[in-house]
Amino acid sequence: MAMAEAGPETTDALCLAVAAFDGRRADALLDAGADPLRPLPDGSTPLLRAVISGNAGVTVALLRHAGDRLTEEERAGLLACARHWYETGAEAGLRLATGASGPVESRRFVDDFDVTEYHVITLGGMRVCDGHSAVLTCLEAELGFRRSFDELFARALARADAEHADWWEATVALAKRSDVEAWEAALALRSDPDPLRRQFAAYLMWCFLIVEHPATSEKWPWERRAVDVLLPWATEETDPAVLVPVLRGLNSVDDDEPEIEELGLALRTHPDPRVRVQVPSMLGRTRYAYTHPEALDVLATMARDPDARVRAYVCEVLYEFEGRSRAVADILAGFLDEDDQLVRIKAVSGLADADDPRCLEGARLIGPVDRAEWEDTWLLDAAERYAQRRTAAAGS
């Protein structure tokens, strides 16, 4: 549908998606022609409502569909609104907007659209995410307003939660610049006595390696320098919350580094499961085989780790691996009785792709699945495809 053909119903649906913090639905409606700048009866627009919502992912989705149609007055209005909510805070902002008193309701919200977390704050029949710092950071970056390292650093540390959108968007905004100021600041913070400040530096270096930079659409060009910093840092760091993003940075390096693999082997029995879960990605492999002779033994041991997250990640890295050896299949078969249904589904898929008959019994162990909740049911049908291949082979 062309934008000119999109009517009030599409705009209403877009406003509902914004209110529900549903970025995927909003994206689909925008692609279908919904106008983020269409005037609403209360004088706002869907884009302004997104800013008020405190959800950075939804806000950026609408902003990018607004293109270059924003006037200077509209740009200034969006920034003023974002700064008002940022400075006021979600709870106080709701009290001002609704006039309601009494306690607020708060719940943690994991937003899989932009892979960040928020708290959803509800009061007086209105609810917002508490990510107005993230919204302001994204708006400024998208509209070309450059904030200093110190200001973005302060926004992240004010949240003190590396999983929260406020922290994440400040880090990404700095990483996308790929400049000497941010690099040198991260180096300086690496030895800070405050673990929270070191944690930010580690996340920043990791983001240097994973974000695309608008000027080149390529990854950060200083990868070798980052590896030279992160490797010794990983061996010296004692705080797991800091060590995890250091290891994520090393796992983002394109080329296999023997030192990274040896570090992973040394960390396989680390007492913190957040660290252990990084180890499978640190083991080097070609398309069809792991390069270290101990790698599969390590993975087999980690597949019995006491922490479910570690076991789930071992399954994750093996179920799509094209090295279909008996040892890999045996590890996958060990996941067929996992409590996590998704782990069982992926184990069955890996076994089926390896033409291992244990996938048939595994499929029976998966249990009931609501297929309507799956956008792509290919994964669910792996055992059936195996059975069809076996029948066809027998017939021929």
Side-chain angles (χ1 to χ4, degrees), residues 342-354:
L342 183 58
V343 172
R344 300 198 301 274
I345 289 170
K346 290 180 177 180
V348 168
S349 176
L351 288 170
D353 289 345

Side-chain angles (χ1 to χ4, degrees), residues 258-270:
E259 297 92 340
I260 296 176
E261 184 170 56
E262 290 303 323
L263 176 62
L265 292 170
L267 293 173
R268 66 186 184 273
T269 58
H270 193 280

Side-chain angles (χ1 to χ4, degrees), residues 111-392:
D111 188 348
D112 60 0
F113 177 65
D114 61 352
V115 201
T116 49
E117 295 185 7
Y118 301 85
H119 289 95
V120 173
I121 312 296
T122 304
L123 178 70
M126 181 178 177
R127 64 176 189 167
V128 295
C129 290
D130 65 344
H132 295 98
S133 173
V135 168
L136 179 60
T137 299
C138 289
L139 270 180
E140 289 171 340
E142 292 287 330
L143 297 178
F145 292 90
R146 182 186 177 92
R147 295 301 177 214
S148 68
F149 177 91
D150 289 343
E151 183 167 353
L152 293 176
F153 180 41
R155 290 181 190 177
L157 262 65
R159 178 60 60 178
D161 179 355
E163 303 301 321
H164 196 281
D166 288 352
W167 174 294
W168 181 249
E169 296 299 345
T171 312
V172 170
L174 287 169
K176 283 184 175 179
R177 297 178 184 177
S178 187
D179 61 14
V180 173
E181 179 194 17
W183 166 255
E184 290 183 345
L187 286 181
L189 289 168
R190 179 182 46 149
S191 56
D192 195 286
D194 183 348
L196 189 65
R197 294 165 71 90
R198 296 201 308 277
Q199 187 182 15
F200 181 82
Y203 270 92
L204 180 54
M205 285 203 172
W206 173 39
C207 284
F208 279 147
L209 292 163
I210 63 173
V211 302
E212 288 189 348
H213 304 279
T216 62
S217 297
E218 295 178 355
K219 293 177 70 175
W220 185 58
W222 301 341
E223 185 174 285
R224 181 67 256 172
R225 294 171 67 182
V227 173
D228 291 341
V229 171
L230 292 172
L231 269 171
W233 190 356
T235 61
E236 299 162 3
E237 183 57 59
T238 57
D239 191 312
V242 181
L243 180 55
V244 167
V246 171
L247 298 179
R248 287 175 177 171
L250 290 171
N251 278 331
S252 302
V253 175
D254 285 336
D255 297 328
D256 288 337
E257 299 278 348
E259 297 92 340
I260 296 176
E261 184 170 56
E262 290 303 323
L263 176 62
L265 292 170
L267 293 173
R268 66 186 184 273
T269 58
H270 193 280
D272 195 302
R274 294 173 297 172
V275 174
R276 296 198 303 276
V277 81
Q278 303 299 319
V279 170
S281 296
M282 300 174 75
L283 304 178
R285 68 188 193 187
T286 62
R287 183 175 178 180
Y288 297 109
Y290 277 89
T291 55
H292 196 284
E294 297 179 30
L296 287 177
D297 291 336
V298 169
L299 291 173
T301 300
M302 298 188 77
R304 301 187 297 275
D305 193 275
D307 191 277
R309 292 168 296 178
V310 177
R311 300 195 302 272
Y313 192 63
V314 173
C315 182
E316 181 74 25
V317 299
L318 289 180
Y319 92 97
E320 286 187 327
F321 179 44
E322 293 184 60
R324 305 298 186 185
S325 67
R326 177 72 182 191
V328 170
D330 287 345
I331 297 173
L332 288 170
F335 294 116
L336 295 177
D337 60 354
E338 276 286 326
D339 291 338
D340 188 329
Q341 186 183 53
L342 183 58
V343 172
R344 300 198 301 274
I345 289 170
K346 290 180 177 180
V348 168
S349 176
L351 288 170
D353 289 345
D355 285 323
D356 190 302
R358 286 176 286 186
C359 70
L360 297 176
E361 175 60 23
R364 288 188 283 271
L365 295 173
I366 286 175
V369 176
D370 185 354
R371 297 175 73 91
E373 295 183 354
W374 290 69
E375 292 183 8
D376 184 357
T377 58
W378 177 262
L379 192 65
L380 301 177
D381 298 330
E384 181 180 345
R385 293 194 300 274
Y386 163 79
Q388 291 172 348
R389 291 196 304 270
R390 191 171 66 172
T391 299

Side-chain angles (χ1 to χ4, degrees), residues 40-107:
L40 299 171
D42 63 358
S44 69
T45 64
L47 177 53
L48 184 60
R49 289 191 181 185
V51 171
I52 294 170
S53 80
N55 186 288
V58 171
T59 300
V60 171
L62 270 67
L63 181 64
R64 289 178 177 169
H65 277 77
D68 58 0
R69 295 184 295 134
L70 284 171
T71 65
E72 286 300 319
E73 183 180 358
E74 288 170 328
R75 288 159 59 96
L78 291 171
L79 285 167
C81 179
R83 182 162 289 280
H84 162 75
W85 277 88
Y86 162 63
E87 293 175 348
T88 304
E91 181 177 337
L94 279 177
R95 295 191 188 283
L96 286 172
T98 64
S101 58
V104 299
E105 296 179 14
S106 177
R107 64 176 176 85

